[in-house]
Amino acid sequence: MSQNNTKIIVAGMLIAAFAPLVAMAQDPQQYPPPQQQQYPPPQQQQYPPAQQQQYPPQQQQQYPPQQQQQYPPQQQQGYPPPQQQGYPPQYPQQAPPPMPPQQIDGIVQRIALYPDPLLAQIMTASTFGNEIPDAAGWANQHRYLTGDQLAHAINEDRLPWDPSVLALLPFPQVLDMMARDMGWTQALGNAVLGQRFEVMDAVQRMRAQAQQYGYLQSNPNYRVVGGPGEIQIVPVDPAYLYVPIYNPYVVFARPRPGFFVGGAISFGPRIYLGASFAPFGWGGIGVGWGGVAFGWRTHDILINNRPWGRTFANRGVYVHPYATPYRRPEGARVERHEAHEHERR
């Protein structure tokens, strides 16, 4: 069969196959579209509504109303009486048993690094422990007074205390410390009366230890002079004293590596002591700090350049020969300087 005959036959077959489609496109009504099989919609399974489980209502536990604890009204803090349990009384009939060096070391630690003039006044004043609480109260009430105004107020108020106690009135923080721990004050006073040599030796031990560890050094306020057994802490300016502030548990212990020892001792505000304080234990101030110092080798406490000689035996009659004798005022104490605080404000 020739190639042309084959093409003619194939073309005829294609025409026969597509003829119905051409006729359908020309007359769609004659050939309706095939019916799409209809399926019933799926029935959604019905589940019974879930019953919410009913729990009995929770009963809130009832607590009894909290009763606020009632405290008694706070009493203004006062100072404890001079005799505190655990320490010997201030004026025993007989000298208490001597204390071992370790105990005396513990007593003097908090004041061992004070300047010599202030330390001497603290030691002597501690033997008049029964006067410390009243003096501390007066000093706290008159903190706004300084310098000559303070000296004038001391004189005006006819304060009845020993000059060694009056000498501490410019230092209310020191009197406050003594009054708040009267057991310590009594213990120090009894040791000074009965074991002055041991007390002074303990101060030197503590100073040597603090110096060895690098804490006790000369500074702008004080000079540290002298050698073993007679380390002195003396003011740079004899008219001014500063109360050092330190932690005994720090300055008497070996510093840990890297610890800055220079910050272990700080100082309170400077206290001016002029000639107006001469009647109050600071006679001759400006020359040897009123002659208030120590004879470390002889174990003397020097007040106005005279050895202070009060002991248990003579404590009822001893009168120290101050450079400017102080006469205890007659009559009751008074308050004659209220105007000073108003003027200051």
Side-chain angles (χ1 to χ4, degrees):
M1 182 179 297
S2 67
Q3 187 176 2
N4 291 332
N5 294 334
T6 303
K7 291 180 179 180
I8 294 172
I9 294 172
V10 171
M13 294 175 63
L14 290 174
I15 293 172
F18 285 99
L21 294 177
V22 173
M24 184 183 299
Q26 293 176 351
D27 190 4
Q29 292 183 354
Q30 186 178 357
Y31 298 92
Q35 297 294 323
Q36 187 175 6
Q37 186 175 1
Q38 299 295 321
Y39 296 98
Q43 298 295 323
Q44 188 174 6
Q45 188 174 0
Q46 300 294 320
Y47 296 97
Q51 299 295 323
Q52 188 173 6
Q53 188 173 358
Q54 300 295 320
Y55 295 97
Q58 186 175 5
Q59 300 295 324
Q60 188 172 6
Q61 188 172 358
Q62 299 295 320
Y63 296 97
Q66 186 175 5
Q67 301 294 324
Q68 187 172 7
Q69 188 172 359
Q70 300 295 321
Y71 295 97
Q74 187 174 5
Q75 302 293 323
Q76 186 172 6
Q77 184 174 2
Y79 294 112
Q83 184 173 348
Q84 190 176 19
Q85 185 178 1
Y87 290 86
Q90 175 63 24
Y91 297 113
Q93 295 297 323
Q94 296 180 349
M99 291 181 283
Q102 295 83 358
Q103 186 175 357
I104 299 178
D105 287 354
I107 292 174
V108 304
Q109 280 184 345
R110 68 174 72 174
I111 56 174
L113 303 188
Y114 281 27
D116 284 19
L118 180 58
L119 177 62
Q121 298 285 21
I122 292 173
M123 285 187 178
T124 56
S126 69
T127 68
F128 293 93
N130 59 323
E131 298 179 357
I132 294 296
D134 284 345
W138 190 94
N140 282 331
Q141 292 169 3
H142 299 81
R143 298 176 77 101
Y144 59 90
L145 297 175
T146 59
D148 293 340
Q149 278 193 337
L150 175 61
H152 186 66
I154 295 172
N155 188 59
E156 281 187 328
D157 281 13
R158 299 203 301 242
L159 302 178
W161 309 310
D162 186 81
S164 62
V165 177
L166 297 176
L168 296 181
L169 291 177
F171 306 91
Q173 66 272 48
V174 173
L175 281 171
D176 184 73
M177 178 267 294
M178 298 175 72
R180 288 181 182 277
D181 193 353
M182 282 304 301
W184 174 85
T185 301
Q186 291 169 0
L188 175 64
N190 289 334
V192 171
L193 288 173
Q195 296 179 264
R196 186 171 70 249
F197 283 30
E198 290 85 346
V199 171
M200 294 179 65
D201 288 343
V203 170
Q204 285 298 314
R205 283 194 298 273
M206 294 295 98
R207 288 183 174 184
Q209 195 166 339
Q211 190 177 48
Q212 177 186 356
Y213 293 146
Y215 296 108
L216 181 59
Q217 305 176 26
S218 294
N219 56 69
N221 302 324
Y222 296 115
R223 292 184 295 114
V224 180
V225 299
E230 54 179 352
I231 300 173
Q232 303 172 54
I233 305 176
V234 295
V236 171
D237 187 335
Y240 294 96
L241 291 177
Y242 298 80
V243 179
I245 303 169
Y246 61 88
N247 185 342
Y249 292 102
V250 173
V251 299
F252 300 120
R254 187 181 302 278
R256 64 182 183 273
F259 180 76
F260 176 58
V261 297
I265 301 177
S266 59
F267 297 92
R270 69 178 185 173
I271 307 298
Y272 170 72
L273 297 172
S276 56
F277 287 91
F280 314 124
W282 295 104
I285 194 71
V287 180
W289 310 283
V292 180
F294 290 94
W296 292 108
R297 291 298 184 186
T298 58
H299 293 88
D300 287 324
I301 301 176
L302 302 174
I303 305 295
N304 299 162
N305 294 311
R306 296 172 174 86
W308 185 82
R310 192 165 191 249
T311 64
F312 270 108
N314 67 4
R315 65 189 184 277
V317 297
Y318 178 79
V319 177
H320 186 73
Y322 287 94
T324 303
Y326 178 73
R327 294 179 176 85
R328 290 180 182 265
E330 297 178 358
R333 283 173 49 185
V334 294
E335 286 282 340
R336 294 180 175 174
H337 53 276
E338 292 85 357
H340 289 305
E341 182 176 11
H342 176 72
E343 292 170 2
R344 181 176 180 272
R345 291 178 179 175

